[in-house]
Amino acid sequence: IIIFKFDNPIFYKACTSGVAYGLGDFISQIYQGKTLSTIDLPRSFRSGAAGFMVHGPLCHYWLTFMETYLDFGGAWWATGIKVTADLTVWSIFLNAAYSTVIGTLAGQNPADTLRDVRSTQWPALRSAWRFWPFVHTISFSHAVSMDLKLLWVDVMEVSLHFFLTFVCLLTSALI
């Protein structure tokens, strides 16, 4: 019953990320031309579950870590260090965790899941570098309060789904 207390930030951040990931996947499928009858709802559910189980809780601790150890007393240049840390070490870890959960929930063979994790790391990282540096300049500054940072990131996640879907559609149209 503790998870339903109003002062449990991890639960609420998990819920926010779960909704953002599920909604983002659902919207990206619509963008891909699927109709309500052809949308892969289990895929959207898996994405939402991964957001709930992985993104929300882990990002809570990551953001707390960065504010504690990489803020350097609020120095203006600390934002750049946070952005760099997030878009390298953390991004690689989080993408691997997300892909692992998605593959596991889909009942995928562990070897295939590992292959997916490896094959998506570099493209996901390159895509992130096109979008997140600008967003995280705001995310990791003091312009967004600590309590709202993950909500801000989740709103941007939905925007990123639109962006990545557009890039995929554009790429497939050119091939």
Side-chain angles (χ1 to χ4, degrees):
I1 196 98
I2 291 175
I3 65 169
F4 294 109
K5 288 177 66 179
F6 288 109
D7 63 348
N8 188 332
I10 298 168
F11 174 73
Y12 291 106
K13 290 174 182 178
C15 289
T16 303
S17 289
V19 169
Y21 271 63
L23 180 63
D25 182 79
F26 184 84
I27 291 169
S28 72
Q29 289 187 59
I30 290 173
Y31 234 127
Q32 292 169 351
K34 294 190 177 185
T35 64
L36 289 179
S37 62
T38 60
I39 286 179
D40 184 354
L41 288 175
R43 184 183 110 176
S44 293
F45 174 77
R46 287 190 298 272
S47 190
F52 180 83
M53 293 185 299
V54 175
H55 187 264
L58 293 180
C59 284
H60 167 81
Y61 290 109
W62 173 245
L63 291 169
T64 301
F65 170 82
M66 286 199 303
E67 287 300 309
T68 303
Y69 298 105
L70 301 179
D71 194 52
F72 301 100
W76 65 268
W77 46 264
T79 300
I81 291 174
K82 293 177 202 175
V83 170
T84 302
D86 191 83
L87 293 175
T88 53
V89 177
W90 182 249
S91 188
I92 291 169
F93 169 76
L94 195 61
N95 286 334
Y98 175 80
S99 295
T100 300
V101 170
I102 291 294
T104 301
L105 291 176
Q108 193 174 36
N109 176 321
D112 292 336
T113 299
L114 180 60
R115 189 172 22 263
D116 286 348
V117 167
R118 288 180 177 160
S119 70
T120 60
Q121 281 300 325
W122 182 239
L125 201 55
R126 276 195 336 253
S127 291
W129 291 341
R130 293 179 184 138
F131 180 80
W132 288 110
F134 309 105
V135 173
H136 282 339
T137 299
I138 296 169
S139 304
F140 302 142
S141 71
H142 294 278
V144 179
S145 74
M146 185 63 179
D147 292 339
L148 298 176
K149 284 186 190 294
L150 190 56
L151 176 60
W152 162 257
V153 169
D154 284 336
V155 168
M156 295 298 103
E157 286 277 349
V158 173
S159 302
L160 179 62
H161 277 341
F162 280 117
F163 173 74
L164 292 178
T165 300
F166 177 75
V167 168
C168 289
L169 290 173
L170 188 62
T171 302
S172 64
L174 295 175
I175 294 178

